[in-house]
Amino acid sequence: MTFKVYSAGSNARGQLGNGTIEDACTFAAPCVFPKSMDQDAKSISASASDNLRPLNLVPWDNNHVHSIARIATGANHSLSLFNSTHHVYGVGDNSRGQLLIAPSETTSFQRVNLDVKQGYRVVEIAASWETSYFVLRHEPVAIDDREQGDLASPSPPAETTASQPLESDLLVAIGSNDFGALGVGSLDPPAVVPVPATRKGKEKKPVPSSPTPSQQQTLSFNHLLPPATSKSSYRISTIETGLNHVILILDVYSKDGPPSQLIVGWGSCRHGQLGPVSLSSSTSPAPVKPSLNPPKASQQPKPADKARQPTSKSNPSTPSFIPTPTVLQVKNTSPVKRVAAGSQHTVLLHEDGTLTTWGSNRKNQLPTTHPPRVLDVRCTWNGTYLFTKPFSEGVSTGFSVLATGSGEKGQLGRAAPSSSSAPSSSSTLTVNSSGLLPVDIPAISNLRIRKLACGSEHVLLLLESESEGTTDLYVWGWNEHGNLGLNNNQDVFAPSRLPWAGKGRIVDVWAGCGTSWLVVEEND
């Protein structure tokens, strides 16, 4: 049994990782990774070139599989995290240092060489527009593993129950600091590297130089922990990014009391996507872990910056962005179990099934009603999607996906009222929903939702047969770059089954900025 990764959609900077810069409207070409991964992941494959090849991952024993744990995408860059080695590979645009590699862009995945503190491993990744994030967790390595280095199988994950972790998690941020995305206050702009003239004599625009490992920002959140607790530590259980804002869930552990939770955020907040904030929220810099590559003195926030905090034009007392991590004000006391972020809005799903909604509602993207039995929530840039499991007289009646927000490109998954590719002005309900309505999922029995993935303005729904384990992928929404993989670039208004022609079954999916990703399990 082996696994391959496929991608489709926008590819102007090589972000699909298939070795080209051409958009792909099908999932025909597997992603390309360096041959050196043969050592990292013990993989087997024929070479695609001297140094590159399609990824072909194999199990290392009966219980563990070398596969991708997460794919995260920004405007024109993509990251992949492997569950076996905890290594991260990046591809696409690196003009802001968001991949921490040498060239300004790459069309095949390359190792992101983070400066990771001894004993820590990357356990989660995320990306905003031109910034990348990596959650580091202290996970002691077994003696045998230490002798063999990174090539050995990892030790079992550290304890994830309510017991207090020995060390707190850290967050590494690299790339653009637009809207305070790095979380370290204001930084001097990166050095600019001149680019040679083209053959036609036209000089290309200079691009910022790629940062060195010393320029990666390593954040600690100890200063945000409640002062009443002593000897506290925390885990970053969730990181979610919108276009230009970041939200974390910190699970806080203390010897003085039961575990608690903090919701932390920073970045763009002009539309209220970080909840109620004030100017005072945007002036306290977050300390960078002193032992890990602190910013240079010239990069430290200057006192004068406080007087120049950008504010919202509509409300001068509200900042347009928060440049450092801040504890967000959540009125609902029920713990948050899921965060979903769009371009200008955020939705929190609480343990009791209720929702907290923040931000812009210009496209009706904020649910005005809270249906019962909400199990999960996802967001496109201008929409919100709820996965619910309705019950009738105590018996489950299957699953339902409810959607609200912009439907101009078919994102809401409801059939267009006419054969025209663009709905008429009379179809307001279909184009922009005024409330939560069901997605037109085909009535198929014996299927369950394996995953719902939301991209910029398109959606992937992976269904699995409960009895046979086979999967079907349904896609809909914006398709300008062929990101739905249907071999065309027409927007799709009703969920359409992907005619998967490849061998094997689709076991995981992700959706990004005009891109879609599949992990396919293939039998040898």
mmCIF file of all heavy atoms in Angstrom, residues 233-254:
data_model
loop_
_atom_site.group_PDB
_atom_site.id
_atom_site.type_symbol
_atom_site.label_atom_id
_atom_site.label_comp_id
_atom_site.label_asym_id
_atom_site.label_seq_id
_atom_site.Cartn_x
_atom_site.Cartn_y
_atom_site.Cartn_z
ATOM 1 N N SER A 233 1.654 25.792 32.229
ATOM 2 C CA SER A 233 2.152 25.533 30.888
ATOM 3 C C SER A 233 0.937 25.406 29.977
ATOM 4 O O SER A 233 -0.198 25.330 30.441
ATOM 5 C CB SER A 233 3.018 24.276 30.842
ATOM 6 O OG SER A 233 2.292 23.155 31.317
ATOM 7 N N TYR A 234 1.176 25.395 28.680
ATOM 8 C CA TYR A 234 0.042 25.383 27.753
ATOM 9 C C TYR A 234 0.380 24.566 26.513
ATOM 10 O O TYR A 234 1.532 24.330 26.183
ATOM 11 C CB TYR A 234 -0.338 26.818 27.345
ATOM 12 C CG TYR A 234 0.767 27.541 26.624
ATOM 13 C CD1 TYR A 234 0.959 27.389 25.248
ATOM 14 C CD2 TYR A 234 1.658 28.370 27.308
ATOM 15 C CE1 TYR A 234 1.993 28.021 24.586
ATOM 16 C CE2 TYR A 234 2.698 29.006 26.658
ATOM 17 C CZ TYR A 234 2.852 28.827 25.301
ATOM 18 O OH TYR A 234 3.887 29.446 24.645
ATOM 19 N N ARG A 235 -0.672 24.156 25.847
ATOM 20 C CA ARG A 235 -0.576 23.513 24.544
ATOM 21 C C ARG A 235 -1.378 24.348 23.547
ATOM 22 O O ARG A 235 -2.458 24.848 23.870
ATOM 23 C CB ARG A 235 -1.158 22.100 24.607
ATOM 24 C CG ARG A 235 -0.184 21.123 25.286
ATOM 25 C CD ARG A 235 0.233 20.052 24.296
ATOM 26 N NE ARG A 235 1.354 19.281 24.839
ATOM 27 C CZ ARG A 235 1.241 18.059 25.310
ATOM 28 N NH1 ARG A 235 0.067 17.458 25.319
ATOM 29 N NH2 ARG A 235 2.304 17.423 25.748
ATOM 30 N N ILE A 236 -0.864 24.470 22.336
ATOM 31 C CA ILE A 236 -1.611 25.113 21.254
ATOM 32 C C ILE A 236 -2.432 24.012 20.592
ATOM 33 O O ILE A 236 -1.925 23.254 19.768
ATOM 34 C CB ILE A 236 -0.672 25.786 20.243
ATOM 35 C CG1 ILE A 236 0.195 26.840 20.938
ATOM 36 C CG2 ILE A 236 -1.474 26.428 19.108
ATOM 37 C CD1 ILE A 236 1.264 27.452 20.031
ATOM 38 N N SER A 237 -3.690 23.900 20.971
ATOM 39 C CA SER A 237 -4.514 22.808 20.452
ATOM 40 C C SER A 237 -5.100 23.137 19.088
ATOM 41 O O SER A 237 -5.462 22.230 18.332
ATOM 42 C CB SER A 237 -5.646 22.480 21.433
ATOM 43 O OG SER A 237 -6.486 23.608 21.629
ATOM 44 N N THR A 238 -5.185 24.427 18.748
ATOM 45 C CA THR A 238 -5.750 24.834 17.453
ATOM 46 C C THR A 238 -5.051 26.085 16.962
ATOM 47 O O THR A 238 -4.783 27.001 17.748
ATOM 48 C CB THR A 238 -7.260 25.133 17.581
ATOM 49 O OG1 THR A 238 -7.955 23.936 17.932
ATOM 50 C CG2 THR A 238 -7.829 25.670 16.275
ATOM 51 N N ILE A 239 -4.721 26.133 15.682
ATOM 52 C CA ILE A 239 -4.311 27.371 15.020
ATOM 53 C C ILE A 239 -5.134 27.498 13.752
ATOM 54 O O ILE A 239 -5.218 26.559 12.952
ATOM 55 C CB ILE A 239 -2.805 27.412 14.714
ATOM 56 C CG1 ILE A 239 -2.466 28.712 13.948
ATOM 57 C CG2 ILE A 239 -2.334 26.179 13.954
ATOM 58 C CD1 ILE A 239 -0.978 28.993 13.832
ATOM 59 N N GLU A 240 -5.793 28.630 13.574
ATOM 60 C CA GLU A 240 -6.632 28.881 12.411
ATOM 61 C C GLU A 240 -6.285 30.248 11.849
ATOM 62 O O GLU A 240 -6.084 31.210 12.600
ATOM 63 C CB GLU A 240 -8.112 28.825 12.797
ATOM 64 C CG GLU A 240 -9.069 29.007 11.653
ATOM 65 C CD GLU A 240 -9.125 27.807 10.710
ATOM 66 O OE1 GLU A 240 -8.622 26.722 11.105
ATOM 67 O OE2 GLU A 240 -9.677 27.930 9.595
ATOM 68 N N THR A 241 -6.209 30.348 10.532
ATOM 69 C CA THR A 241 -5.841 31.606 9.893
ATOM 70 C C THR A 241 -6.886 32.022 8.873
ATOM 71 O O THR A 241 -7.443 31.189 8.151
ATOM 72 C CB THR A 241 -4.483 31.484 9.175
ATOM 73 O OG1 THR A 241 -4.552 30.398 8.241
ATOM 74 C CG2 THR A 241 -3.364 31.236 10.164
ATOM 75 N N GLY A 242 -7.153 33.341 8.826
ATOM 76 C CA GLY A 242 -7.894 33.924 7.728
ATOM 77 C C GLY A 242 -6.892 34.499 6.749
ATOM 78 O O GLY A 242 -5.707 34.143 6.762
ATOM 79 N N LEU A 243 -7.326 35.418 5.914
ATOM 80 C CA LEU A 243 -6.391 36.025 4.981
ATOM 81 C C LEU A 243 -5.252 36.716 5.715
ATOM 82 O O LEU A 243 -4.086 36.555 5.381
ATOM 83 C CB LEU A 243 -7.126 37.035 4.079
ATOM 84 C CG LEU A 243 -7.255 36.613 2.619
ATOM 85 C CD1 LEU A 243 -8.122 35.365 2.520
ATOM 86 C CD2 LEU A 243 -7.859 37.735 1.793
ATOM 87 N N ASN A 244 -5.619 37.499 6.755
ATOM 88 C CA ASN A 244 -4.607 38.287 7.463
ATOM 89 C C ASN A 244 -4.824 38.298 8.980
ATOM 90 O O ASN A 244 -4.367 39.218 9.649
ATOM 91 C CB ASN A 244 -4.597 39.729 6.937
ATOM 92 C CG ASN A 244 -4.117 39.827 5.506
ATOM 93 O OD1 ASN A 244 -2.969 39.507 5.197
ATOM 94 N ND2 ASN A 244 -4.993 40.263 4.609
ATOM 95 N N HIS A 245 -5.526 37.308 9.513
ATOM 96 C CA HIS A 245 -5.648 37.230 10.970
ATOM 97 C C HIS A 245 -5.447 35.799 11.436
ATOM 98 O O HIS A 245 -5.638 34.842 10.675
ATOM 99 C CB HIS A 245 -6.983 37.807 11.472
ATOM 100 C CG HIS A 245 -8.201 37.007 11.119
ATOM 101 N ND1 HIS A 245 -8.729 36.927 9.840
ATOM 102 C CD2 HIS A 245 -9.045 36.269 11.892
ATOM 103 C CE1 HIS A 245 -9.826 36.192 9.836
ATOM 104 N NE2 HIS A 245 -10.032 35.764 11.068
ATOM 105 N N VAL A 246 -5.010 35.660 12.682
ATOM 106 C CA VAL A 246 -4.632 34.371 13.265
ATOM 107 C C VAL A 246 -5.350 34.197 14.593
ATOM 108 O O VAL A 246 -5.440 35.146 15.388
ATOM 109 C CB VAL A 246 -3.108 34.288 13.502
ATOM 110 C CG1 VAL A 246 -2.721 32.898 13.989
ATOM 111 C CG2 VAL A 246 -2.344 34.663 12.250
ATOM 112 N N ILE A 247 -5.864 32.997 14.848
ATOM 113 C CA ILE A 247 -6.504 32.690 16.129
ATOM 114 C C ILE A 247 -5.976 31.357 16.638
ATOM 115 O O ILE A 247 -5.885 30.370 15.889
ATOM 116 C CB ILE A 247 -8.037 32.644 16.002
ATOM 117 C CG1 ILE A 247 -8.576 34.036 15.651
ATOM 118 C CG2 ILE A 247 -8.677 32.153 17.296
ATOM 119 C CD1 ILE A 247 -10.076 34.102 15.538
ATOM 120 N N LEU A 248 -5.605 31.323 17.913
ATOM 121 C CA LEU A 248 -5.133 30.112 18.581
ATOM 122 C C LEU A 248 -6.070 29.742 19.714
ATOM 123 O O LEU A 248 -6.673 30.615 20.351
ATOM 124 C CB LEU A 248 -3.738 30.311 19.186
ATOM 125 C CG LEU A 248 -2.601 30.866 18.327
ATOM 126 C CD1 LEU A 248 -1.350 30.976 19.177
ATOM 127 C CD2 LEU A 248 -2.345 29.982 17.124
ATOM 128 N N ILE A 249 -6.170 28.449 19.986
ATOM 129 C CA ILE A 249 -6.742 27.977 21.248
ATOM 130 C C ILE A 249 -5.590 27.461 22.091
ATOM 131 O O ILE A 249 -4.864 26.553 21.679
ATOM 132 C CB ILE A 249 -7.773 26.856 21.035
ATOM 133 C CG1 ILE A 249 -8.959 27.349 20.205
ATOM 134 C CG2 ILE A 249 -8.265 26.332 22.383
ATOM 135 C CD1 ILE A 249 -10.002 26.277 19.937
ATOM 136 N N LEU A 250 -5.400 28.063 23.262
ATOM 137 C CA LEU A 250 -4.386 27.609 24.211
ATOM 138 C C LEU A 250 -5.069 26.813 25.315
ATOM 139 O O LEU A 250 -5.952 27.331 26.008
ATOM 140 C CB LEU A 250 -3.637 28.794 24.825
ATOM 141 C CG LEU A 250 -2.867 29.742 23.902
ATOM 142 C CD1 LEU A 250 -2.074 30.736 24.738
ATOM 143 C CD2 LEU A 250 -1.948 28.978 22.964
ATOM 144 N N ASP A 251 -4.689 25.559 25.476
ATOM 145 C CA ASP A 251 -5.139 24.756 26.613
ATOM 146 C C ASP A 251 -4.119 24.949 27.731
ATOM 147 O O ASP A 251 -2.959 24.556 27.592
ATOM 148 C CB ASP A 251 -5.240 23.288 26.227
ATOM 149 C CG ASP A 251 -6.355 23.037 25.208
ATOM 150 O OD1 ASP A 251 -7.298 23.831 25.180
ATOM 151 O OD2 ASP A 251 -6.256 22.054 24.454
ATOM 152 N N VAL A 252 -4.553 25.573 28.813
ATOM 153 C CA VAL A 252 -3.661 25.968 29.899
ATOM 154 C C VAL A 252 -3.756 24.960 31.041
ATOM 155 O O VAL A 252 -4.853 24.609 31.486
ATOM 156 C CB VAL A 252 -3.991 27.382 30.413
ATOM 157 C CG1 VAL A 252 -3.022 27.793 31.517
ATOM 158 C CG2 VAL A 252 -3.962 28.385 29.263
ATOM 159 N N TYR A 253 -2.592 24.490 31.514
ATOM 160 C CA TYR A 253 -2.522 23.515 32.599
ATOM 161 C C TYR A 253 -1.766 24.127 33.771
ATOM 162 O O TYR A 253 -0.739 24.767 33.593
ATOM 163 C CB TYR A 253 -1.809 22.243 32.134
ATOM 164 C CG TYR A 253 -2.463 21.587 30.934
ATOM 165 C CD1 TYR A 253 -2.125 21.984 29.643
ATOM 166 C CD2 TYR A 253 -3.415 20.594 31.097
ATOM 167 C CE1 TYR A 253 -2.721 21.386 28.539
ATOM 168 C CE2 TYR A 253 -4.018 19.993 29.999
ATOM 169 C CZ TYR A 253 -3.672 20.399 28.725
ATOM 170 O OH TYR A 253 -4.271 19.818 27.639
ATOM 171 N N SER A 254 -2.305 23.907 34.967
ATOM 172 C CA SER A 254 -1.684 24.454 36.172
ATOM 173 C C SER A 254 -1.809 23.469 37.314
ATOM 174 O O SER A 254 -2.790 22.724 37.406
ATOM 175 C CB SER A 254 -2.350 25.786 36.563
ATOM 176 O OG SER A 254 -1.882 26.228 37.815
#
